[in-house]
Amino acid sequence: MISLEDLILAPLYLFVIIGIAHLVKSNNINKYPEYKYFVKGLWFKIIGVIAFVSIYLFYYGGGDTVTYFLGAKALGNLLLHDFSKGFAILFNTGSYENSISSFNYETGFPPYHYFKDKNTFLICRLSAPLYILGSKSFLITSFLTSVFSYVGVWKFYRLVNILYPGNSKIFAYIILFMPSLIFWGGGIMKDSYMLGATCWITYSFYHVLITRKKIFWNFCFLILNVVMILNCKPYILISLFPGFLIWVNNSYLKNIKNSIVRVLVFPALFLIFIGSGVLIFNSISGSMGVYGSLDGAIKKAQITQDDLLREWHYGGNNYKLDRIDGSISGLLSSAPLAIFTAFFRPLPWEIGSPTMVLSAIENTILILFVLYYLIRIGPFRFFRITFNDPFLVYCLVFSLFFAFGVGIAGTNFGALVRYKIPLMPFFFSFVYIVRRKSIK
């Protein structure tokens, strides 16, 4: 997968990528001091993707990232060979050319089990232009994928610095330099794209609906990232949606200074935002596939749970939760353990492979800090600080919903450490911000 040509071209691409990063930093650092971490964060991301590629190629001997690249390679070659056919497949149009038969031996064929699953093949579609831009190199395409992921993560980092200035160094450690985010959020994988898109959506949502500034471009990126998640992992949108509604509602209420007026207005605002949320959800539920209904989501969770138990494919690093029986009561009874699992596991004694070591270390640190903060602050004050800040409520609600979904459906630690990375910048930031506000 990595040739001599790749090793020659890779430094040249890195020179261009880092050069552009330095230019972005120099244009912004006088106005936004946190840009002093922009190039450092990107370097960490690049080092992370090199480690990721090395482990998958030389330790695992392949894996999903290679399969995604082969799909992107076939589509990229098709775009260069016959643009109309490539365009039809790239944008998943209703054209007859959007078919496996459009490929030939000259372009190569994408893995059929990926092509027939539109949610999975989206990663190949997103990576195909990067494959062309990256001189058809697996390593360079991985670099460019990590850059997209980094831009999204950087947007979230910028947002927390806007909301809570003076903490750029700590935020850099828990968002930009977090080992799991660097390693799992960089390669040609669903996780890289979904991490970047989830963080970017939050930044764009804030500017479009909270501050109502720089609306045009942020609205465009908001829609693009929503479409990306909708066509890859719709359950992330389901996890984001309740937090968005609460964030908007609480932010508008906080702008009303008179407490009597605020109490009178609250029911109307609540009904407006809930009603709008229901209408929006109903309008996109048809695009969510099985996630468009509760029964479909439960069925999908059952299938995922069964799939991850296949040791021959995912290894034997399984954890045990109650089997999903298809009932709401069954799901709710499993919620506490599922959420704890997604937040804090694998624990050190549950490490089953070298790639789980970093996650176990992070989880141990996180659980110790959360327990320490709860004891020092006190549960009552902890939640009072949280519910007085709309952004903290948003981070907590998203983290809980997402952790529940990932924890209940997953049964394999190897998959869990990848699946849960979109919640990590939100939950780590949440814990730190509560602690800082309690000190003040």
Side-chain angles (χ1 to χ4, degrees):
M1 293 298 294
I2 297 180
S3 64
L4 178 61
E5 184 181 358
D6 294 333
L7 297 178
I8 295 173
L9 287 174
L12 298 177
Y13 273 84
L14 283 179
F15 179 80
V16 173
I17 291 170
I18 298 300
I20 294 173
H22 275 287
L23 183 61
V24 171
K25 173 185 173 181
S26 63
N27 288 338
N28 290 278
I29 194 166
N30 292 332
K31 191 174 181 180
Y32 308 111
E34 61 267 23
Y35 268 86
K36 64 184 176 182
Y37 296 107
F38 185 74
V39 177
K40 292 179 183 177
L42 183 57
W43 266 119
F44 271 85
K45 198 74 168 180
I46 295 295
I47 293 170
V49 77
I50 292 173
F52 177 86
V53 167
S54 299
I55 287 178
Y56 264 80
L57 289 183
F58 305 120
Y59 180 75
Y60 290 127
D64 290 343
T65 187
V66 173
T67 311
Y68 283 124
F69 175 74
L70 294 176
K73 178 181 179 181
L75 179 53
N77 290 339
L78 182 61
L79 283 165
L80 297 174
H81 178 73
D82 190 328
F83 183 76
S84 66
K85 290 182 179 179
F87 181 89
I89 295 175
L90 180 66
F91 290 97
N92 196 27
T93 68
S95 168
Y96 71 92
E97 293 182 327
N98 183 14
S99 167
I100 193 76
S101 61
S102 291
F103 297 94
N104 55 52
Y105 287 103
E106 186 176 349
T107 64
F109 292 90
Y112 182 70
H113 60 292
Y114 276 28
F115 183 81
K116 68 180 182 179
D117 184 342
K118 69 172 186 177
N119 298 97
T120 299
F121 196 67
L122 175 70
I123 305 307
C124 302
R125 291 188 174 99
L126 294 173
S127 303
L130 302 182
Y131 164 79
I132 296 172
L133 188 62
S135 299
K136 304 182 178 182
S137 162
F138 170 66
L139 182 60
I140 297 171
T141 304
S142 298
F143 286 166
L144 297 178
T145 305
S146 72
V147 169
F148 169 82
S149 179
Y150 180 72
V151 171
V153 173
W154 176 260
K155 292 292 184 180
F156 183 78
Y157 173 73
R158 282 279 297 119
L159 176 59
V160 293
N161 278 283
I162 291 170
L163 295 174
Y164 311 98
N167 299 284
S168 60
K169 184 176 182 179
I170 298 298
F171 284 138
Y173 281 117
I174 62 179
I175 298 173
L176 302 182
F177 306 146
M178 183 67 66
S180 286
L181 299 181
I182 292 170
F183 182 81
W184 293 112
I188 308 171
M189 300 282 278
K190 285 183 179 180
D191 314 289
S192 304
Y193 286 104
M194 293 301 100
L195 170 64
T198 304
C199 291
W200 203 333
I201 278 177
T202 302
Y203 175 86
S204 298
F205 179 88
Y206 171 77
H207 282 293
V208 172
L209 289 169
I210 307 298
T211 65
R212 298 183 295 282
K213 297 177 180 178
K214 304 177 182 177
I215 290 178
F216 177 75
W217 284 113
N218 280 297
F219 180 77
C220 292
F221 286 117
L222 177 65
I223 296 301
L224 286 173
N225 284 291
V226 165
V227 170
M228 190 185 306
I229 292 178
L230 189 63
N231 287 280
C232 187
K233 291 190 175 184
Y235 65 83
I236 296 179
L237 279 184
I238 297 174
S239 302
L240 286 167
F241 218 69
F244 280 152
L245 293 176
I246 295 171
W247 190 7
V248 171
N249 186 66
N250 288 356
S251 294
Y252 279 75
L253 283 175
K254 285 182 75 72
N255 290 331
I256 301 174
K257 304 302 180 183
N258 189 300
S259 58
I260 297 175
V261 175
R262 190 185 306 143
V263 171
L264 294 173
V265 168
F266 171 76
L269 277 178
F270 182 79
L271 290 174
I272 289 171
F273 287 121
I274 292 297
S276 301
V278 170
L279 288 174
I280 293 171
F281 183 82
N282 286 338
S283 66
I284 64 175
S285 61
S287 303
M288 289 187 171
V290 296
Y291 296 101
S293 68
L294 181 59
D295 289 340
I298 293 174
K299 184 66 175 177
K300 178 63 176 178
Q302 290 176 308
I303 294 171
T304 302
Q305 191 179 67
D306 291 337
D307 178 60
L308 291 175
L309 286 170
R310 293 181 300 160
E311 294 189 8
W312 62 270
H313 186 77
Y314 293 99
N317 303 320
N318 296 327
Y319 60 88
K320 295 186 181 297
L321 293 178
D322 292 338
R323 297 284 294 159
I324 300 173
D325 60 8
S327 68
I328 296 176
S329 60
L331 287 176
L332 293 179
S333 65
S334 300
L337 182 56
I339 292 171
F340 176 86
T341 296
F343 280 150
F344 304 120
R345 297 173 73 186
L347 296 167
W349 55 88
E350 296 173 321
I351 295 173
S353 68
T355 55
M356 293 168 59
V357 173
L358 291 177
S359 184
I361 293 172
E362 291 170 354
N363 293 339
T364 303
I365 294 171
L366 179 59
I367 195 171
L368 291 175
F369 270 94
V370 170
L371 289 173
Y372 173 74
Y373 288 166
L374 281 173
I375 293 170
R376 286 291 301 272
I377 302 170
F380 177 77
R381 191 174 175 213
F382 185 91
F383 287 104
R384 181 170 60 82
I385 292 170
T386 299
F387 290 110
N388 280 331
D389 187 322
F391 179 72
L392 291 180
V393 176
Y394 163 74
C395 287
L396 179 61
V397 170
F398 167 67
S399 297
L400 289 174
F401 271 83
F402 188 83
F404 170 66
V406 170
I408 198 70
T411 54
N412 182 275
F413 284 127
L416 179 68
V417 296
R418 293 190 289 111
Y419 291 170
K420 74 177 189 176
I421 63 169
L423 74 81
M424 293 181 67
F426 294 86
F427 191 65
F428 271 81
S429 298
F430 163 77
V431 173
Y432 171 73
I433 294 165
V434 171
R435 171 59 178 161
R436 288 295 300 172
K437 295 186 77 135
S438 72
I439 295 173
K440 291 183 180 180

